[in-house]
């Protein structure tokens, strides 16, 4: 059983809540219209299956502002539940409701980072300039936040720093050894 094996090796297991394309947008808006109800269901699922939390990935565009406020409330509701469910935000949707990967922590994705108790998974198209910008931006906010920022690395190399593949370990080493940020490895199945 994957979950048991991961926990025996001190590895967290997250479910992924992903919304894509027009159908995903309809489903997302329906969830946000009744986010307390659906949050409680997600918490029950996590507890039943013994997963540690969720990666929230919103890859739909033009979300009305009313729903952006509800998205933050949804993230905060689960993040602050007494059941200690982890919420990790994926760098895709920005505070204006647009689908626009940032590849860094900045004002556009900050509200979702702050509403998620485990932080943010930065899109894997980041550059060294994005890492430096995140450093400067984060210093203005908090001193201990680096571990809550997971810079993505696509192991297949699509747009990743140093090109992924056999250089995945080099990008990982750069982040862990020189920046103290966390790493999120991406490898589509």
């Amino acid at each position: 059983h994957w979950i048991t094996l991961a926990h025996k090796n001190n590895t967290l297991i997250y479910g992924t809540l992903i919304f894509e394309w027009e159908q995903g947008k309809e489903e997302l808006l329906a969830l946000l219209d009744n986010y307390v109800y659906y949050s409680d269901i997600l918490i029950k699922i996590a507890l039943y299956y013994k997963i540690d939390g969720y990666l929230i990935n919103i890859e739909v565009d033009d979300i009305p502002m009313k729903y952006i406020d509800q998205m933050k409330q949804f993230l905060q509701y689960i993040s602050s539940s007494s059941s200690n469910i982890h919420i990790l935000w994926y760098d895709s949707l920005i505070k204006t409701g647009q689908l626009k990967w940032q590849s860094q922590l900045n004002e556009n994705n900050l509200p979702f980072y702050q509403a998620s108790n485990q932080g943010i998974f930065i899109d894997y198209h980041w550059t060294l300039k994005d890492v430096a910008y995140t450093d400067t931006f984060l210093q203005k906010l908090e001193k201990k936040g680096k571990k809550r920022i997971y810079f993505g690395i696509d192991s297949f190399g699509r747009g990743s720093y140093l090109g992924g593949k056999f250089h995945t370990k080099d990008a990982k080493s750069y982040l862990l050894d020189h920046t103290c940020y966390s790493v999120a490895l991406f490898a589509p199945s």
Side-chain angles (χ1 to χ4, degrees):
H1 194 255
W2 287 103
I3 296 170
T4 303
L5 184 61
H7 287 156
K8 281 183 181 177
N9 288 285
N10 297 317
T11 301
L12 300 176
I13 293 289
Y14 287 2
T16 300
L17 196 58
I18 185 168
F19 296 90
E20 298 176 299
W21 306 295
E22 196 57 38
Q23 180 182 348
K25 183 175 181 177
E26 293 169 16
E27 293 167 349
L28 173 65
L29 299 183
L31 178 146
L32 294 175
D33 276 333
N34 201 355
Y35 74 86
V36 171
Y37 172 77
Y38 288 110
S39 295
D40 288 339
I41 290 174
L42 288 167
I43 291 167
K44 288 177 186 174
I45 290 170
L47 294 173
Y48 181 82
Y49 288 103
K50 296 180 175 55
I51 63 172
D52 301 290
Y54 295 97
L55 170 67
I56 309 295
N57 184 355
I58 311 300
E59 299 208 15
V60 296
D61 205 2
D62 299 320
I63 303 295
M65 288 308 293
K66 162 191 167 185
Y67 290 101
I68 296 302
D69 290 336
Q70 287 174 300
M71 174 61 71
K72 291 184 282 189
Q73 293 169 6
F74 165 68
L75 297 171
Q76 289 169 337
Y77 184 88
I78 298 177
S79 289
S80 64
S81 75
S82 61
S83 48
N84 196 30
I85 303 299
H86 298 183
I87 295 296
L88 183 64
W89 179 259
Y90 182 71
D91 169 34
S92 51
L93 187 71
I94 61 172
K95 66 182 182 181
T96 61
Q98 296 173 292
L99 175 61
K100 192 172 181 184
W101 298 270
Q102 300 297 291
S103 301
Q104 59 182 234
L105 181 66
N106 61 34
E107 286 293 335
N108 289 317
N109 53 23
L110 179 64
F112 305 113
Y113 165 77
Q114 291 175 324
S116 302
N117 62 5
Q118 290 303 301
I120 187 168
F121 177 156
I122 299 292
D123 177 59
Y124 50 80
H125 290 98
W126 55 269
T127 65
L128 295 181
K129 286 173 92 174
D130 293 312
V131 175
Y133 182 89
T134 299
D135 274 342
T136 302
F137 186 77
L138 192 59
Q139 286 176 2
K140 297 175 191 172
L141 294 175
E142 56 189 54
K143 299 290 184 217
K144 60 184 180 193
K146 282 192 167 190
K147 292 296 180 190
R148 293 186 61 231
I149 299 174
Y150 298 77
F151 276 88
I153 301 171
D154 184 334
S155 62
F156 289 100
R158 297 169 300 166
S160 282
Y161 176 65
L162 299 177
K165 301 178 184 169
F166 290 116
H167 297 288
T168 298
K169 65 178 177 31
D170 301 322
K172 175 200 67 84
S173 293
Y174 170 77
L175 289 167
L176 296 178
D177 298 342
H178 300 290
T179 71
C180 298
Y181 286 112
S182 295
V183 172
L185 293 176
F186 179 80
S189 55

